[in-house]
């Protein structure tokens, strides 16, 4: 089985979804890796979708407020009505939602920084502005040679996307020379294979960790946080990184 199929293949089934927030208007889950948000034209052969699984689980229709990549784990927010979707999406469009991701990337990233490299929209070829701030949280150097160097270096990074472009974090960090581990589209396949061989880690190590916004109905602050995925926890344990983020 090729690495692309291994990392992005759909499991035979998904366990019960983990609900991390729920009120009369909104519900949020901790989306597992490899689960699509909803059915799309380019993934018609898939059988599992977060919106359908959640609707079946809680017994009512849900509508995605935003999207995260199929390969990415973490906070995914739904509304119970089209009105709830419109009101909450307006917060995203106005930049009033704070999104925080955690990722393991190749190499030692600068302690703090930002990139505003524009990204081309795949469907239209139009160049879009994109801004990502980031903070390095930890580093590790392991005595395993992947390419020409005798050791391999990795960083744990907090990523704060200020815009919401397709694959923004994956593309930005790849262009910076620090691809996210487990990324089969933009990443370094040699390091992906090493993580699988040495530690059995096959998922994209990108996690939508926190989402903070003012509730569009109650006007109260909502802070959502999703526990790390199993593969991410395995990486944290392997590198002796304390999981206190």
């Amino acid at each position: 089985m090729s690495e692309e199929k291994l990392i992005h293949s759909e499991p035979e089934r998904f366990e019960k979804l983990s609900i991390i927030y729920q009120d009369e208007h909104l519900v949020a889950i901790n989306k597992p890796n490899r689960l699509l948000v909803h059915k799309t034209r380019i993934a018609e052969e898939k059988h599992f979708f977060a919106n359908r699984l959640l609707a079946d689980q809680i017994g009512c229709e849900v509508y995605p407020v935003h999207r995260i990549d199929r390969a990415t784990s973490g906070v995914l927010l739904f509304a119970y009505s089209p009105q709830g979707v419109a009101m909450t999406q307006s917060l995203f469009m106005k930049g009033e939602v704070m999104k925080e991701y955690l990722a393991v990337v190749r190499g030692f990233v600068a302690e703090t920084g930002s990139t505003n490299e524009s990204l081309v929209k795949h469907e239209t070829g139009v160049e879009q502005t994109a801004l990502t701030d980031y903070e390095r949280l930890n580093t590790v150097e392991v005595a395993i040679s992947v390419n020409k160097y005798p050791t391999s270096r990795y960083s744990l990074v907090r990523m704060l996307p200020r815009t919401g472009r397709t694959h923004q974090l994956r593309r930005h960090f790849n262009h910076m020379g620090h691809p996210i581990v487990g990324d089969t589209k933009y990443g370094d396949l040699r390091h992906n294979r090493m993580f699988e061989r040495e530690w059995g880690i096959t998922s994209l190590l990108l996690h939508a960790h926190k989402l903070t916004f003012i509730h569009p109905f109650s006007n109260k602050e909502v802070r959502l946080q999703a526990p790390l995925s199993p593969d991410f926890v395995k990486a944290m344990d392997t590198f002796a990184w304390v999981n206190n983020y």
Side-chain angles (χ1 to χ4, degrees), residues 78-116:
F78 296 86
Y80 292 127
S81 68
Q83 180 194 18
V85 171
M87 292 179 67
T88 313
Q89 281 184 343
S90 69
L91 302 177
F92 283 84
M93 291 186 290
K94 291 185 291 186
E96 296 177 359
V97 177
M98 176 66 72
K99 297 172 286 185
E100 180 178 319
Y101 287 71
L102 293 177
V104 178
V105 305
R106 189 190 71 190
F108 286 177
V109 179
E111 289 187 4
T112 60
S114 63
T115 175
N116 61 356

Side-chain angles (χ1 to χ4, degrees), residues 26-27 63-67 76-79 84-86 88-90 92:
L26 304 173
V27 57
Y63 305 88
V65 171
H66 67 126
R67 295 168 179 79
L76 182 61
L77 184 63
F78 296 86
V85 171
T88 313
Q89 281 184 343
S90 69
F92 283 84

Side-chain angles (χ1 to χ4, degrees), residues 189-203:
L189 299 185
R190 297 164 300 183
H191 288 263
N192 295 349
R193 295 190 194 102
M194 189 271 278
F195 269 68
E196 178 193 351
R197 182 181 66 250
E198 298 291 332
W199 304 303
I201 294 173
T202 61
S203 299

Side-chain angles (χ1 to χ4, degrees), residues 58 65 69 113-114 140 146 153-154 167 171 187-188 194-195 199 211 229 233 243:
I58 65 177
V65 171
D69 295 345
S114 63
V140 70
V146 174
R153 294 178 171 184
Y154 303 97
H167 299 165
R171 295 165 74 184
D188 189 321
M194 189 271 278
F195 269 68
W199 304 303
L211 204 65
S229 68
V233 171
N243 184 12

Side-chain angles (χ1 to χ4, degrees), residues 26-176:
L26 304 173
V27 57
I29 65 169
N30 184 6
K31 188 187 82 67
N33 300 102
R34 305 185 182 92
L35 178 61
L36 283 159
V37 174
H38 56 78
K39 192 168 187 175
T40 66
R41 180 173 49 82
I42 61 174
E44 292 181 348
E45 80 287 357
K46 300 300 179 183
H47 303 288
F48 300 105
F49 307 94
N51 66 327
R52 292 308 330 147
L53 291 174
L54 181 58
D56 291 343
Q57 184 172 318
I58 65 177
C60 66
E61 197 64 40
V62 294
Y63 305 88
V65 171
H66 67 126
R67 295 168 179 79
I68 58 176
D69 295 345
R70 174 174 59 175
T72 304
S73 60
V75 178
L76 182 61
L77 184 63
F78 296 86
Y80 292 127
S81 68
Q83 180 194 18
V85 171
M87 292 179 67
T88 313
Q89 281 184 343
S90 69
L91 302 177
F92 283 84
M93 291 186 290
K94 291 185 291 186
E96 296 177 359
V97 177
M98 176 66 72
K99 297 172 286 185
E100 180 178 319
Y101 287 71
L102 293 177
V104 178
V105 305
R106 189 190 71 190
F108 286 177
V109 179
E111 289 187 4
T112 60
S114 63
T115 175
N116 61 356
E117 178 188 11
S118 298
L119 298 172
V120 174
K121 187 176 178 63
H122 295 307
E123 297 86 349
T124 63
V126 175
E127 196 170 83
Q128 298 178 304
T129 58
L131 174 63
T132 301
D133 296 330
Y134 61 89
E135 175 189 7
R136 190 185 73 202
L137 301 176
N138 222 320
T139 61
V140 70
E141 185 168 5
V142 295
I144 300 175
S145 177
V146 174
N147 191 15
K148 59 183 178 180
Y149 302 105
T151 62
S152 298
R153 294 178 171 184
Y154 303 97
S155 297
L156 176 66
V157 182
R158 176 183 287 123
M159 302 177 177
L160 305 171
R162 305 304 184 184
T163 51
R165 308 310 182 193
T166 300
H167 299 165
Q168 177 174 318
L169 299 177
R170 297 163 64 183
R171 295 165 74 184
H172 267 170
F173 276 80
N174 179 50
H175 294 168
M176 290 165 57

Side-chain angles (χ1 to χ4, degrees), residues 202-214:
T202 61
S203 299
L204 175 69
L205 295 184
L206 176 62
H207 182 70
H209 191 44
K210 297 178 182 179
L211 204 65
T212 304
F213 58 96
I214 301 300

